[in-house]
Amino acid sequence: MILAVFLILLFAAVPIALVLTLTSAAYIAQSGNHLLFDSFTQQLFGAIENYGLLAIPLFMLAGELMNEGGLTSRLINMARILVGGFRGGLAYINLVANMMMAAIMGSAASQIAIMSRAMVPAMEKEGYSPAYAAAITSAGGLLSPIIPPSMLFVLFGVLAQVPIADMFIAGILPGLLMSALFFLTIALMGLVHEYPKGQWLTAAEAKKAFWMGLPACLIPVLIIGGILTGLVTPTESAALASLGALLVGTCVYKELKLSHLPEIMKRTALNSGMVIILISAAGVFGWVLIYEQIPQAVAAWIVQQTSDPFVFLLMVVAALILVGMLLDGIAALILVVPILLPVAQADFGISPYQFGVVVCLTLVMGLLTPPVGAGLFIGSAMTGVPPMKIFKALLPFLMMTLLSLILISGIPSIVLILL
């Protein structure tokens, strides 16, 4: 009955937070143990009583301030210095700029929306097909969950009770690996499709772009450097990033007006509020799963199928690709971590950091895969390209993402060597 309630609500397009809460309430009502309702409210609030969760609205705020204050466009111009002269130069610029933005925003959906507005029109003017321009911009959003900071890493750290700073460090090499594979994909596709040759900036233009972009570039350096050196916690780094973006946007570039702040704060509050409510609802749902001993049942079934950690992780990847096609990444993460993480650690000896990187990256692929594919619809809305055309152009990048997942699953040191 409980599974039926969950599926009916889910496919009736009820908001996922209500799906989780109502399913939990239905379970308690069916169990007849109405004393559990006495703990219901406590579980709702207990799930969000974690200092690390403050990083989520703060990183969202930093991204909003950077986009409104002109920092994003300066980072794109700075990327031209590094890769602008190669064949398919704008494609490389797009990817490098996405790497920079991934080190600030932490949200794939927000990154796709912002970079689509900034990069796709410029690529179309230089002769790139609209579908390819939208596809590479969307592919850059796949870097967001693993290049620190990452909203999914923050949430995974809370759910798994591991240090969020260590999760950020664990994502550095996987992020660089996937970036390198994306660069290779662009190079190979550029040879096949003969993309236009880029132009290197003149010395004067490069110097201007560097000095104009340097203040914006300090934001990701502040975030990652502060965490790696241990000077600040991830939450404190998010606060510093927001303050830095505010100061640079208002005092250096002077594009961010104080009159913009109420609307920025409103958008940040609405977006982060939805995430926090979802986490709260998932706290109750996870409590019900544990009470029902579902993780133990799943563990017993999986152990019967394989005893190889690598095979187990591949099974997780396959299952989560399907889950990610239907559920939002945050909602899916909240659902699967309480069930699968204990199995990974107790029965297969897998590090929570390796498991976290694999799970977060796999779930974000769902952002760009039908039938839900919210990232495809965001890219389509920003560019006017039909979602399925973007998906077809995106397939080489999704294949490289799968290759990254296989390598990360089979070689734990890619994740663990920096810890």
Side-chain angles (χ1 to χ4, degrees):
M1 175 188 169
I2 302 304
L3 179 60
V5 170
F6 177 81
L7 293 176
I8 289 170
L9 292 173
L10 183 64
F11 288 104
V14 175
I16 189 65
L18 282 177
V19 172
L20 298 176
T21 306
L22 292 174
T23 303
S24 303
Y27 166 80
I28 295 173
Q30 184 195 34
S31 70
N33 186 0
H34 298 292
L35 289 176
L36 292 175
F37 277 121
D38 294 338
S39 302
F40 197 87
T41 305
Q42 180 182 355
Q43 294 297 330
L44 278 172
F45 284 95
I48 55 176
E49 289 181 339
N50 190 296
Y51 171 74
L53 290 176
L54 281 174
I56 292 177
L58 288 171
F59 278 127
M60 285 184 172
L61 177 60
E64 292 281 357
L65 290 170
M66 286 196 66
N67 191 47
E68 199 76 24
L71 282 74
T72 304
S73 59
R74 268 72 176 196
L75 287 176
I76 293 172
N77 286 334
M78 202 173 189
R80 290 180 181 272
I81 302 172
L82 302 174
V83 291
F86 295 122
R87 179 172 294 280
L90 264 183
Y92 290 107
I93 291 168
N94 194 337
L95 185 57
V96 171
N98 266 294
M99 291 174 65
M100 293 177 177
M101 291 303 295
I104 300 164
M105 301 206 63
S107 167
S110 300
Q111 186 172 323
I112 291 170
I114 289 170
M115 295 304 293
S116 292
R117 290 199 300 268
M119 290 303 304
V120 173
M123 292 183 72
E124 287 187 58
K125 285 181 183 177
E126 291 205 9
Y128 295 85
S129 74
Y132 177 73
I136 189 172
T137 305
S138 300
L142 289 168
L143 299 171
S144 185
I146 52 176
I147 292 181
S150 162
M151 193 186 306
L152 286 182
F153 278 3
V154 171
L155 183 52
F156 181 85
V158 171
L159 293 171
Q161 297 184 347
V162 297
I164 296 170
D166 287 347
M167 276 303 305
F168 284 177
I169 294 170
I172 293 175
L173 286 185
L176 294 176
L177 168 66
M178 200 161 80
S179 301
L181 291 174
F182 281 7
F183 276 119
L184 177 61
T185 304
I186 293 172
L188 294 175
M189 293 180 70
L191 292 174
V192 173
H193 297 286
E194 296 186 356
Y195 289 125
K197 191 179 185 301
Q199 290 185 341
W200 293 108
L201 297 178
T202 65
E205 290 171 335
K207 183 178 179 181
K208 181 180 178 181
F210 175 80
W211 287 112
M212 288 298 291
L214 191 58
C217 200
L218 289 176
I219 305 300
V221 171
L222 183 68
I223 294 171
I224 299 175
I227 293 170
L228 288 178
T229 57
L231 294 176
V232 293
T233 67
T235 303
E236 290 165 348
S237 75
L240 287 175
S242 298
L243 178 60
L246 176 64
L247 293 176
V248 172
T250 53
C251 301
V252 180
Y253 299 142
K254 299 181 180 179
E255 292 187 18
L256 178 62
K257 307 300 181 184
L258 293 180
S259 59
H260 299 167
L261 290 181
E263 181 61 28
I264 290 173
M265 294 295 185
K266 179 182 175 181
R267 288 200 302 267
T268 303
L270 288 173
N271 292 331
S272 58
M274 287 189 291
V275 174
I276 297 301
I277 290 172
L278 184 55
I279 294 169
S280 178
V284 176
F285 192 77
W287 170 56
V288 167
L289 290 178
I290 294 170
Y291 191 85
E292 192 65 13
Q293 296 188 330
I294 290 177
Q296 292 89 326
V298 172
W301 181 84
I302 292 177
V303 170
Q304 290 176 357
Q305 313 306 312
T306 182
S307 59
D308 188 327
F310 177 58
V311 174
F312 166 74
L313 285 175
L314 293 183
M315 290 172 63
V316 169
V317 168
L320 294 188
I321 287 175
L322 296 176
V323 171
M325 288 180 179
L326 300 172
L327 291 180
D328 173 76
I330 293 175
L333 185 72
I334 291 169
L335 288 176
V336 303
V337 169
I339 297 173
L340 294 179
L341 180 60
V343 181
Q345 289 183 279
D347 295 281
F348 294 93
I350 295 172
S351 163
Y353 302 105
Q354 182 189 14
F355 183 79
V357 170
V358 169
V359 168
C360 291
L361 179 53
T362 306
L363 288 176
V364 171
M365 284 183 66
L367 193 68
L368 298 172
T369 50
V372 178
L376 294 177
F377 288 98
I378 292 171
S380 177
M382 296 296 169
T383 62
V385 181
M388 286 310 298
K389 280 193 175 182
I390 298 177
F391 177 68
K392 290 177 182 177
L394 191 62
L395 282 174
F397 297 98
L398 292 176
M399 296 303 294
M400 286 299 182
T401 305
L402 276 176
L403 177 58
S404 300
L405 283 166
I406 292 170
L407 292 173
I408 294 167
S409 299
I411 309 173
S413 58
I414 295 175
V415 175
L416 304 177
I417 193 170
L418 295 181
L419 294 174

